[in-house]
Amino acid sequence: MVVTSAPGKLILMGEHAVVFGKPAIAMAVDLRLRCSVERAGRYTVNGHPLDRRYHSYIVSAIDQFWKGGGLDIRTIGDLPSGSGLGSSAALTVAFVRAIEELDGKYDEESVARRAFLVELHVQGRASPIDTSASTHGHGILISGEGNDPLWTIELGDRRWDVHHLDVPQMSMVIGYTGIHAPTGPLVAKVKRYYDRTNFAKETIEEIADLTEEGQTRLKTGDVVGLGELMTRNHKLLSILGVSCPELNRLVRASLPYSYGAKLTGSGGGGSMVALTDEPERVCEAIRRHGGTPFLVRTGVEGVRLEK
Ligand code: PMV
């Protein structure tokens, strides 16, 4: 039996714009998904027969990368699904890591590439941000400056250079709306808006500019500047139509005790993140406004073998 685990992530800045090849910053967080895989006579997931509808990420990974026959797959974790915290990426990464182990040929870059192809296949459109962050851990910067990327992923005219990013210890509070929001339809909605209007194109460019600036603020440890950029990033995401009243409420509730706050991930529900040095007060504000707070630690390891 092989047991692996992979972390969830939060996107600090640049979600949605990254799908268009723009820069983004993501960090792995200490909420992990564990996956155990054992050869078996047939395919099961948590005791149920493998189902194309319910286990789409695992099915896609098996179709593309596993030739070895039946598997007994079990998953358990702290990551609510559809929460915007990268649960599907963590599942895909942990599972791909496990089958590479069974095949006796693990390689970090290969896991990141394969997991991206699975997300792309299931969602229709995607960037490698979630899968790269979950594979590598720590922080990642996509398409930023600097040489020597961890890996480069190209798709048509889009190209993502994935760089390692040292992540300072920061207090981050995540507020989960409790609304399950699948990524695919939101990504497709932004694409339609982008194709139809110059305004959406300009908004994506503005997010890209803010993210570049955010990278500098992060390097210099300027939390005040970074927080402001995050809050502006949230407004631009709202303009793109991916926020919702519940996310806006949690962002507003957090701001009096935070440097900045924004939705994180694809939006439409899911979660927001606040940069704060008063985490208890932010958690309380989120709870009071109907959300579930998670106090997360950044700077954690990527996918790993547990057993
Ligand atoms: O919904 P999440 O947390 O998996 O975030 C996806 C991030 C997007 O930029 C919206 C999509 C992508 O594939 O990059």
Side-chain angles (χ1 to χ4, degrees), residues 52-176:
R52 292 206 160 260
R53 247 172 326 156
Y54 299 123
H55 311 124
S56 47
Y57 292 89
I58 290 176
V59 169
S60 174
I62 288 172
D63 286 350
Q64 295 186 67
F65 306 117
W66 177 247
K67 307 274 174 286
L71 294 172
D72 176 2
I73 302 156
R74 287 177 192 271
T75 63
I76 182 162
D78 326 312
L79 281 160
S81 96
S83 60
L85 300 177
S87 59
S88 54
L91 168 66
T92 308
V93 166
F95 180 66
V96 170
R97 171 71 182 86
I99 57 176
E100 290 208 350
E101 189 67 24
L102 287 177
D103 270 340
K105 51 169 197 221
Y106 163 63
D107 173 68
E108 181 178 278
E109 177 171 343
S110 155
V111 170
R113 285 184 184 281
R114 287 174 160 192
F116 168 61
L117 290 174
V118 169
E119 278 219 330
L120 187 66
H121 176 243
V122 175
Q123 289 175 17
R125 234 179 112 73
S127 82
I129 191 161
D130 286 16
T131 40
S132 286
S134 184
T135 303
H136 181 66
H138 311 281
I140 61 161
L141 168 69
I142 294 223
S143 297
E145 289 164 22
N147 303 319
D148 206 16
L150 294 165
W151 43 80
T152 295
I153 292 180
E154 286 180 89
L155 195 70
D157 59 354
R158 290 175 292 161
R159 172 195 165 111
W160 296 277
D161 289 320
V162 180
H163 299 271
H164 167 86
L165 190 69
D166 277 326
V167 177
Q169 275 299 328
M170 287 187 291
S171 304
M172 298 293 233
V173 176
I174 286 172
Y176 176 38

Side-chain angles (χ1 to χ4, degrees), residues 9 11 15-16 18-19 84-86 126-127 129-130 183 187 265-266:
K9 62 85 196 55
I11 299 180
E15 53 273 90
H16 285 290
V18 69
V19 180
L85 300 177
S127 82
I129 191 161
D130 286 16
T183 305
V187 168
S266 49

